[in-house]
């Protein structure tokens, strides 16, 4: 039995799952971003036959039992063409090759997903706003959310709530510079000082009411099952807005949590609508015991939930892929 | 604190703060933050037997004469962040930590000893360990060797599954500069600990360039396998992996395999029983023997005296040097008395 895994080089969680797959005596083809995939042949006929090569290993789709898209992407080898900016034809040609690659990649993903699979290669970059809207439509509480470029609108929004936050529409930003250091942009509270220096119009940004939470929930979802961890981040001012701003000296308490069935049922529907069979879901329990939904990360780090709660998620993933 | 007490009706231990009862006192093992604290056996009872009661009920159960002590207890528990205050309805949302332990590796750790007459085939041994999923390896050199020689042996682990290497080597005869020590340690990124034994004095090599590798010098002469089995507070380990493993398995020998200086395959080099020799047997063949695996599950709940000790799930064990002929007797090199709460000088 063979499992194909697409991941990035150096991802420890991937290796931990592979250890379990080896334990179950299952052959693993790990496709990370070190090399390109060489397509040998694809026969589109009654019995589709897809053969490719990775890292000098020949892989036949017919022999693959299951497929896991952990993170990263596949890149298929196409001739590298150097082009001069001035020659429009060559520029067009490179674009065309990109499209050719894209279509082949889509086909790979389609074929992989006919197998038993975990993760969706074209859904790793899901849209926060669409997810929030879908969640809300299903009756899941979300924080009041405003996207605006207008100061007055923002001031009105702020006056409604004790405190508001600003977060990226996409992923967090982390930039390195030798001179300056590391700049990170996750989630921040908007202070009155922030507002003072703001122009009447600014770059369109996402704002949310700040939820006063008793504890945050990090929920790992796999094939209908939920593994939840509660994070007591409120006691620590450093992490109460964004758990990722770790406190290494006195880390937040992280303990297993029993998610109520009613919340699980709603989340199951949401995951189905988003065409995801795995992912990490961020929620919080408010001071009034309401469950508020924040976002889903389809390629979330499950290791940080697995270890503190002793969930052995790596084994559960390996089990899923090998059954 | 008292405000919080009035605020919420109940309390809950964080699942990773686990009380362990000893003969005369108990400890709370904070396996998330890697610390422990002593508590009285009375407080242990409250935390384990009465944890579903409301705080008011606990206070009235113990009566007015104990009010002050109880207040002190709760203050201690909440200021150390062992407990949080909550409502009755929340109690069921926080399950206990599941303390089962398992590993995808057939062997998780190994020791290989090298003496003057050793003639180990290292590349072959490492391939065998890789096949068993071994993650941690300790190499002990009892007799004179050079850093180059050790480097060459370690290089064979380059593409293996081993993630952590510990090396114990005699203090070099040849004068060695700090830079030479550091370049040795940085030659293999898997090295987490290098100990030079028989050194002129105990010291730690300060080096900022290698934050994940410790280089130590010790006056102890580790020239044979008898230098092991010491039980001490400084060897306590507090993390979820070792704590859960210690529930049902031996905290030293579980999933361990050793090759002594003569090539004998054993549970531990210090034990006398050999199950074969690496020249003639494979590690796999030895592991297939039921007898070999017997010691893996001798746990502290079964060992005499240890089973009454509050440190039993954070302590190491030793089955090579034990106090009597009984296989379940206490490690000989442990001088803690859990009945008197004292570490006796020997």
């Amino acid at each position: 039995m063979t499992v194909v895994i697409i991941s990035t080089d150096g991802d420890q969680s991937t290796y931990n799952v592979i250890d379990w797959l080896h334990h179950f005596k299952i052959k693993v083809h790990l496709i990370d971003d070190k090399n390109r995939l060489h397509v040998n042949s694809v026969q589109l006929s009654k019995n589709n036959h897809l053969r490719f090569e990775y890292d000098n290993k020949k892989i036949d789709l017919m022999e693959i039992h299951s497929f896991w898209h952990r993170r990263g992407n596949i890149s298929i080898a196409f001739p590298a063409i150097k082009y001069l900016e001035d020659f429009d034809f060559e520029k067009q040609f490179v674009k065309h090759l990109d499209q050719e690659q894209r279509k082949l990649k889509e086909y790979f993903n389609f074929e992989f997903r006919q197998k038993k699979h975990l993760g969706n290669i074209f859904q790793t970059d899901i849209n926060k706003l669409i997810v929030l809207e879908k969640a809300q439509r299903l009756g899941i509480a979300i924080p009041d959310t405003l996207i605006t470029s207008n100061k007055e609108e923002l001031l009105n929004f702020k006056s409604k709530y004790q405190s508001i936050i600003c977060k990226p529409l996409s992923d967090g930003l982390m930039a390195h510079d030798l001179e300056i250091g590391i700049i990170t942009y996750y989630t921040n509270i908007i202070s009155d000082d922030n507002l003072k220096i703001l122009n009447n119009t600014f770059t369109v940004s996402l704002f949310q009411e700040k939820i006063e939470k008793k504890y945050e929930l990090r929920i790992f979802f796999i094939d209908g099952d939920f593994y939840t961890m509660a994070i007591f981040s409120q006691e620590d001012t450093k992490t109460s807005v964004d758990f990722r701003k770790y406190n290494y000296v006195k880390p937040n308490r992280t303990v297993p949590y029993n998610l109520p069935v009613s919340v699980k049922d709603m989340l199951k529907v949401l995951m189905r609508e988003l065409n995801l069979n795995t992912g990490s879901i961020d929620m919080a329990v408010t001071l009034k015991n309401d469950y508020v939904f924040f976002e889903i990360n389809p390629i979330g780090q499950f290791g940080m939930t697995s270890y503190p709660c002793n969930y052995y998620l790596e084994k559960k993933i390996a089990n899923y892929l090998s059954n | 604190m008292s405000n919080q007490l009035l605020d919420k009706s109940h309390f809950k231990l964080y699942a990773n703060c686990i009380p362990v009862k000893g003969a005369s006192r108990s400890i709370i093992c904070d396996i998330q933050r890697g610390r422990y604290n002593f508590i009285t056996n009375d407080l242990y009872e409250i935390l384990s037997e009465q944890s579903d009661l409301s705080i008011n009920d606990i206070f009235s159960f113990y009566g007015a004469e104990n009010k002050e002590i109880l207040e002190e207890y709760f203050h201690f528990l909440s200021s150390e962040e062992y407990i949080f205050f909550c409502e009755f309805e929340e109690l069921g949302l926080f399950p206990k930590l599941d303390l089962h332990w398992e590993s995808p590796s057939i062997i998780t750790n190994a020791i290989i000893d090298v003496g003057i007459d050793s003639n180990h085939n290292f590349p072959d041994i490492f391939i065998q360990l890789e096949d068993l999923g071994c993650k941690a390896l300790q190499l002990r050199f009892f007799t004179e060797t050079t850093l180059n020689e050790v480097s060459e042996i370690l290089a064979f682990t380059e593409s293996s599954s081993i993630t952590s290497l510990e090396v114990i080597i005699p203090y070099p005869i040849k004068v060695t500069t700090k830079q030479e020590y550091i370049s040795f340690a940085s030659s293999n990124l898997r090295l987490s600990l290098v100990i030079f034994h028989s050194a002129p004095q105990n010291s730690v090599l300060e080096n900022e360039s290698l934050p994940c590798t410790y280089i130590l010098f010790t006056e102890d002469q580790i020239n044979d396998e008898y230098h092991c089995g010491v039980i001490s507070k400084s060897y306590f380990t507090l993390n979820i992996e070792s704590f859960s493993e210690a529930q049902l398995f031996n905290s030293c020998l579980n999933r361990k395999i050793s090759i002594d200086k003569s090539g004998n395959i054993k549970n531990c080099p210090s034990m006398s029983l050999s199950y074969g020799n690496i020249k003639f047997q494979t590690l796999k063949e030895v592991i297939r023997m039921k007898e070999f695996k017997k010691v893996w599950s001798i746990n502290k709940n079964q060992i005499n005296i240890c089973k009454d000790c509050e440190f039993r799930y954070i302590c190491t064990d030793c089955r090579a040097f034990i106090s009597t002929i009984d296989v379940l007797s206490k490690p000989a090199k442990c001088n803690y008395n859990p009945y008197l709460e004292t570490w006796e000088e020997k």
Side-chain angles (χ1 to χ4, degrees):
Chain A
M1 206 197 279
T2 307
V3 175
V4 165
I5 301 174
I6 294 176
S7 186
T8 47
D9 188 26
D11 179 60
Q12 190 55 46
S13 296
T14 304
Y15 304 142
N16 296 342
V17 171
I18 292 174
D19 281 344
W20 279 107
L21 287 167
H22 286 157
H23 174 86
F24 296 138
K25 309 253 183 299
I26 285 160
K27 210 172 143 190
V28 177
H29 284 301
L30 173 62
I31 300 175
D32 54 27
D33 40 14
K34 276 191 298 196
N35 292 298
R36 279 162 183 268
L37 219 76
H38 291 267
V39 176
N40 300 109
S41 81
V42 181
Q43 272 173 31
L44 288 176
S45 56
K46 214 174 184 182
N47 300 308
N48 285 0
H49 205 171
L50 199 162
R51 276 178 290 220
F52 59 99
E53 233 170 85
Y54 183 78
D55 207 13
N56 296 322
K57 282 189 271 295
K58 289 189 171 56
I59 305 169
D60 189 330
L61 190 73
M62 297 235 272
E63 290 159 12
I64 293 170
H65 171 72
S66 61
F67 161 70
W68 179 32
H69 177 250
R70 158 79 185 113
R71 64 194 316 171
N73 211 331
I74 47 173
S75 68
I76 297 171
F78 268 80
I81 291 178
K82 272 193 229 156
Y83 69 90
L84 301 164
E85 289 278 341
D86 327 347
F87 291 94
D88 194 45
F89 168 75
E90 287 187 3
K91 214 153 93 186
Q92 294 292 333
F93 187 62
V94 169
K95 249 192 211 158
H96 174 71
L97 283 183
D98 277 350
Q99 278 307 311
E100 294 282 292
Q101 199 202 127
R102 160 100 194 166
K103 290 298 154 191
L104 204 49
K105 238 157 59 176
E106 278 174 19
Y107 178 69
F108 259 74
N109 189 52
F110 168 79
E111 282 293 345
F112 281 147
R113 287 175 67 82
Q114 311 285 312
K115 310 264 175 187
K116 185 155 199 190
H117 65 273
L118 202 59
N120 184 341
I121 209 164
F122 289 99
Q123 275 283 52
T124 57
D125 191 21
I126 57 172
N127 189 305
K128 256 181 219 177
L129 307 174
I130 297 172
V131 173
L132 279 173
E133 195 189 300
K134 281 195 171 170
Q136 187 191 229
R137 262 195 248 154
L138 292 169
I140 304 171
I142 62 164
D144 198 357
T145 302
L146 171 75
I147 299 163
T148 188
S149 59
N150 182 295
K151 188 175 182 176
E152 204 183 310
E153 217 177 339
L154 179 61
L155 288 172
N156 282 335
F157 187 69
K158 190 169 190 284
S159 65
K160 271 202 274 180
Y161 303 102
Q162 273 196 331
S163 180
I164 60 168
I165 57 161
C166 178
K167 64 192 229 181
L169 289 157
S170 56
D171 293 327
L173 170 79
M174 192 156 165
H176 304 256
D177 186 293
L178 278 181
E179 300 284 308
I180 305 167
I182 301 171
I183 300 168
T184 54
Y185 165 40
Y186 299 133
T187 303
N188 283 299
I189 297 182
I190 299 297
S191 67
D192 290 333
D193 286 343
N194 293 145
L195 287 169
K196 257 182 225 155
I197 57 164
L198 213 52
N199 292 331
N200 283 336
T201 60
F202 45 84
T203 312
V204 66
S205 307
L206 170 69
F207 302 94
Q208 281 182 328
E209 67 172 300
K210 185 181 170 244
I211 301 292
E212 293 303 326
K213 44 206 171 193
K214 261 206 262 191
Y215 22 83
E216 283 178 67
L217 302 178
R218 191 60 56 97
I219 306 158
F220 181 72
F221 175 82
I222 175 172
D223 190 36
D225 291 328
F226 293 87
Y227 299 92
T228 307
M229 175 171 85
I231 304 161
F232 287 75
S233 57
Q234 280 317 86
E235 272 128 59
D236 186 346
T237 49
K238 219 177 189 166
T239 57
S240 66
V241 179
D242 193 323
F243 169 61
R244 285 168 296 187
K245 294 173 182 172
Y246 306 104
N247 182 339
Y248 290 102
V249 187
K250 216 173 168 191
N252 291 137
R253 287 289 178 203
T254 47
V255 294
Y257 188 81
N258 290 330
L259 200 61
V261 177
S262 57
V263 180
K264 283 185 191 173
D265 286 345
M266 286 195 285
L267 291 175
K268 269 184 202 166
V269 180
L270 179 63
M271 293 303 274
R272 202 181 309 136
E273 285 206 2
L274 293 168
N275 204 8
L276 291 171
N277 59 3
T278 187
S280 284
I281 304 163
D282 288 350
M283 290 186 86
V285 179
T286 67
L287 299 178
K288 290 175 186 157
N289 298 315
D290 293 324
Y291 288 80
V292 179
F293 170 90
F294 297 127
E295 57 184 274
I296 294 174
N297 190 346
I299 52 166
Q301 286 294 3
F302 53 85
M304 57 90 83
T305 306
S306 183
Y307 184 76
C309 299
N310 215 26
Y311 282 147
Y312 289 90
L313 296 178
E314 297 78 6
K315 186 186 180 191
K316 288 182 169 110
I317 292 169
N319 255 328
Y320 174 84
L321 294 170
S322 54
N323 282 340
Chain B
M1 206 285 296
S2 48
N3 283 340
Q4 274 177 308
L5 267 184
L6 295 173
D7 230 35
K8 307 270 183 178
S9 59
H10 287 69
F11 76 97
K12 185 97 195 171
L13 266 170
Y14 289 108
N16 41 35
C17 300
I18 305 172
V20 180
K21 191 181 180 182
S24 99
R25 62 178 170 179
S26 299
I27 56 173
I28 291 186
C29 298
D30 181 347
I31 56 175
Q32 183 188 5
R33 294 178 182 165
R35 301 180 304 137
Y36 69 90
N37 237 316
F38 293 104
I39 57 170
T40 62
N41 282 352
D42 289 339
L43 182 51
Y44 176 90
E45 293 302 321
I46 295 173
L47 294 175
S48 53
E49 307 292 325
Q50 295 162 321
S51 56
D52 286 343
L53 293 182
S54 75
I55 295 165
N56 275 339
D57 285 347
I58 293 171
F59 272 81
S60 38
F61 180 85
Y62 286 97
E65 67 272 26
N66 289 311
K67 184 171 176 275
E68 224 168 286
I69 293 174
L70 280 175
E71 275 179 347
E72 202 184 298
Y73 281 169
F74 277 105
H75 176 74
F76 160 77
L77 292 168
S78 71
S79 64
E80 292 287 332
E81 290 183 12
Y82 294 139
I83 61 165
F84 60 98
F85 297 101
C86 63
E87 302 298 340
F88 173 73
E89 294 74 23
E90 289 175 273
L91 292 177
L93 297 171
F94 295 93
K96 277 194 171 159
L97 201 61
D98 175 5
L99 285 178
H100 92 280
W101 179 90
E102 53 187 324
S103 167
S105 303
I106 299 167
I107 289 296
T108 56
N109 68 111
I111 300 177
I112 303 173
D113 281 347
V114 184
I116 195 146
D117 298 321
S118 299
N119 189 20
H120 301 322
N121 180 350
F122 282 106
D124 179 64
I125 294 171
F126 292 159
I127 289 170
Q128 291 195 45
L129 287 175
E130 156 95 28
D131 197 33
L132 296 165
C134 181
K135 297 286 178 198
L137 173 65
Q138 187 179 74
L139 283 176
R140 295 192 300 192
F141 295 83
F142 295 141
T143 51
E144 186 53 29
T145 179
T146 64
L147 294 182
N148 265 344
E149 203 178 332
V150 178
S151 276
E152 278 166 27
I153 295 171
L154 296 183
F156 295 125
T157 65
E158 213 42 54
S159 57
S160 77
S161 63
I162 290 161
T163 54
S164 162
L165 281 172
E166 291 182 5
V167 180
I168 298 168
I169 334 176
Y171 186 76
I173 292 176
K174 179 178 157 275
V175 177
T176 308
T177 64
K178 184 177 172 181
Q179 198 44 51
E180 283 173 304
Y181 284 123
I182 291 174
S183 79
F184 164 72
S186 54
S187 68
N188 196 311
L189 294 174
R190 291 175 168 84
L191 269 178
S192 55
L193 178 67
V194 185
I195 299 174
F196 291 95
H197 66 79
S198 318
Q201 61 200 42
N202 294 333
S203 65
V204 179
L205 192 89
E206 301 286 337
N207 77 102
E208 280 141 11
S209 54
L210 286 171
C212 301
T213 312
Y214 292 97
I215 305 173
L216 311 175
F217 298 90
T218 173
E219 290 170 9
D220 296 344
Q221 298 188 354
I222 307 178
N223 44 20
D224 59 37
E225 54 285 278
Y226 294 98
H227 297 269
C228 198
V230 177
I231 304 293
S232 145
K233 268 190 275 197
S234 52
Y235 298 137
F236 285 173
T237 315
L238 273 115
N239 62 53
I240 187 158
E241 236 173 329
S242 57
F243 192 88
S244 56
E245 189 177 11
Q247 302 295 310
L248 294 177
F249 302 100
N250 191 276
S251 49
C252 178
L253 300 173
N254 187 35
R255 305 230 186 161
K256 182 193 246 62
I257 200 159
S258 304
I259 299 170
D260 77 2
K261 60 187 180 215
S262 313
N264 295 314
I265 305 170
K266 300 173 169 181
N267 292 112
C268 146
S270 309
M271 292 171 95
S272 48
L273 207 54
S274 165
Y275 293 84
N277 194 290
I278 194 68
K279 285 194 184 75
F280 315 108
Q281 265 92 28
T282 63
L283 298 177
K284 226 177 208 163
E285 282 165 354
V286 167
I287 293 160
R288 267 193 222 115
M289 299 179 199
K290 241 183 164 173
E291 281 299 305
F292 178 79
K293 287 179 284 200
K294 238 179 166 176
V295 289
W296 287 7
S297 54
I298 299 180
N299 61 61
K300 296 275 191 191
N301 298 327
Q302 304 163 335
I303 297 167
N304 297 325
I305 303 179
C306 291
K307 65 183 167 196
D308 295 327
C309 178
E310 59 274 25
F311 301 123
R312 62 189 174 277
Y313 303 127
I314 61 174
C315 190
T316 51
D317 189 47
C318 177
R319 291 296 99 200
F321 308 110
I322 48 178
S323 41
T324 70
I325 50 160
D326 181 359
V327 285
L328 291 178
S329 65
K330 168 188 168 174
K333 297 185 193 178
C334 167
N335 54 13
Y336 180 67
N337 183 330
Y339 309 101
L340 302 173
E341 306 171 12
T342 51
W343 295 86
E344 285 146 21
E345 292 293 325
K346 270 194 181 166

